[in-house]
Amino acid sequence: MPRVSDWSIRPATEDDLAALLPLYRAYATFYECEPTDEGLLSLCRAVMADPDERGVIFCAVGDGEEILGFATMVWKFSSLHGARIGFLDDLFVDPARRGDGIADALIEACAERAREHGAPAVQWLTQPDNARARAVYDRVGGKPEPLIEYELEL
């Protein structure tokens, strides 16, 4: 896993959940959503329960073991790729640590895990007006797809 000066990237563990929760909360708040803490913790535990079948949560960890950011990548099947791909569902870096290369390293950790599993791609979504995130995605080589996302609320 990448190591840069005072932080490194590694898979999250159960012991990280208390420190991850405020970052997940900040991520949800940015997108004007209000999931419950129980729901967020349940999501994290479900993803981490079987990294080969469900996905992985990577976290950026400072030298003092503080969590600086996270990326949640889940596996999904893609008819258009004819294969299972990685889907980068969430990416968030503590605003005080943005610009340190953490987002790039989290994306690369997801890409590397996808390569290890033979996945041909990693996909993700962002808001059209999220200029800071789009700058990162452009920098790491992501290509915007000309598709429109729909959601059916249940």
Side-chain angles (χ1 to χ4, degrees):
M1 292 288 111
R3 169 122 189 107
V4 178
S5 65
D6 67 338
W7 56 269
S8 60
I9 304 293
R10 64 166 171 74
T13 68
E14 179 78 22
D15 292 340
D16 296 319
L17 292 182
L20 277 168
L21 190 57
L23 294 177
Y24 271 95
R25 174 69 47 223
Y27 174 79
T29 298
F30 176 81
Y31 283 106
E32 300 177 357
C33 298
E34 297 181 21
T36 65
D37 288 353
E38 295 78 20
L40 291 170
L41 292 171
S42 177
L43 170 134
C44 291
R45 288 184 177 110
V47 171
M48 294 186 316
D50 191 346
D52 291 331
E53 291 301 318
R54 294 191 179 177
V56 63
I57 299 172
F58 285 107
C59 53
V61 183
D63 282 345
E65 291 301 306
E66 68 278 14
I67 306 295
L68 308 173
F70 70 88
T72 306
M73 185 181 73
V74 295
W75 301 112
K76 75 172 217 163
F77 290 95
S78 169
S79 303
L80 300 180
H81 288 285
R84 189 171 79 155
I85 64 170
F87 185 78
L88 179 57
D89 200 31
D90 311 308
L91 175 68
F92 186 81
V93 176
D94 181 326
R97 295 304 300 254
R98 292 179 183 167
D100 289 353
I102 293 171
D104 302 56
L106 286 165
I107 293 168
E108 181 52 37
C110 292
E112 183 57 33
R113 179 64 56 96
R115 283 185 206 99
E116 290 169 1
H117 282 78
V122 174
Q123 291 180 342
W124 60 86
L125 304 170
T126 195
Q127 294 286 347
D129 64 350
N130 191 345
R132 184 164 193 137
R134 292 181 69 185
V136 171
Y137 303 152
D138 291 343
R139 184 174 58 247
V140 300
K143 296 177 180 73
E145 291 289 326
L147 303 174
I148 298 172
E149 177 187 8
Y150 286 85
E151 180 177 297
L152 177 63
E153 288 191 32
L154 305 175

